[in-house]
Amino acid sequence: MSDEVIIRELVGLDQTMTIFPLYSQVSRLSEAVVCQRLSAMFAQSNYRCIAAYIDERMVGASGFWTGTQLWCGKYVEADNVVVDSALRSQGIGGKMMAWIEAEAERTECAVIRIAMVLGRERTHQFYARNGYFDDGLLMVKALSRGAAEFPEYVSQQV
């Protein structure tokens, strides 16, 4: 088995759904829900997905969005960066982020950003090592439809 990591863009829903076994290592979502959400994401025309392979084995995956905001202009946001749990801390995530960053440069984006859940120190350290800075706070409130899936985001106000 080679140790070389190859990054490939996945095109279309069928190819992108091949991330499901890897994604299921970090998510409880069913395959049907992942397919439904990816379909909606592709329909927005600004979502893309890459996968990292060693030989022909998928060992990492990440989606990313391109958008424009007033404060920064054109940007890329990485979405759900996942590396096979048996292969973490071996540079695979860094190679995927480097690919996304190169694509952001190629498409003339001003910044690249990522949102992450608080309390995941290893994840925070990974991004800091790769040149990312804390520059904001993403605040989340679960609406009635998301309360069951995201109980940690339900307001506890009295």
Side-chain angles (χ1 to χ4, degrees):
M1 180 163 127
S2 165
D3 286 339
E4 183 181 10
V5 176
I6 304 295
I7 309 293
R8 293 187 209 132
E9 185 165 358
L10 303 176
V11 179
L13 181 61
D14 289 341
Q15 276 190 17
T16 303
M17 278 302 296
T18 64
I19 71 170
F20 181 75
L22 184 65
Y23 183 68
S24 64
Q25 290 182 12
V26 298
S27 173
R28 296 182 310 268
L29 295 178
S30 70
E31 190 169 6
V33 169
V34 170
C35 185
Q36 175 189 31
R37 289 183 181 178
L38 282 171
S39 294
M41 291 157 64
F42 276 117
Q44 294 179 48
S45 300
N46 62 343
Y47 177 79
R48 295 166 62 188
C49 188
I50 60 169
Y53 297 87
I54 296 178
D55 294 327
E56 290 301 313
R57 177 181 169 207
M58 185 183 294
V59 296
S62 179
F64 63 100
W65 300 88
T66 303
T68 303
Q69 289 190 326
L70 284 174
W71 76 272
C72 66
K74 192 172 179 185
Y75 70 91
V76 159
E77 181 167 350
D79 182 47
N80 283 297
V81 180
V82 178
V83 174
D84 187 305
S85 59
L87 298 171
R88 292 186 184 142
S89 299
Q90 295 185 24
I92 296 165
K95 289 179 180 175
M96 288 191 302
M97 291 307 297
W99 191 99
I100 293 170
E101 290 170 18
E103 184 64 7
E105 290 282 0
R106 187 189 73 74
T107 59
E108 301 178 348
C109 292
V111 298
I112 184 167
R113 64 187 197 183
I114 185 153
M116 56 177 263
V117 176
L118 293 173
R120 295 195 175 162
E121 287 306 312
R122 287 188 66 208
T123 304
H124 188 261
Q125 292 167 0
F126 166 77
Y127 288 111
R129 278 193 314 274
N130 282 278
Y132 290 77
F133 299 89
D134 292 331
D135 189 40
L137 177 64
L138 177 66
M139 298 192 64
V140 179
K141 177 181 179 181
L143 302 175
S144 57
R145 181 166 287 219
E149 188 173 347
F150 304 105
E152 65 275 25
Y153 300 144
V154 175
S155 177
Q156 302 300 320
Q157 292 179 338
V158 253

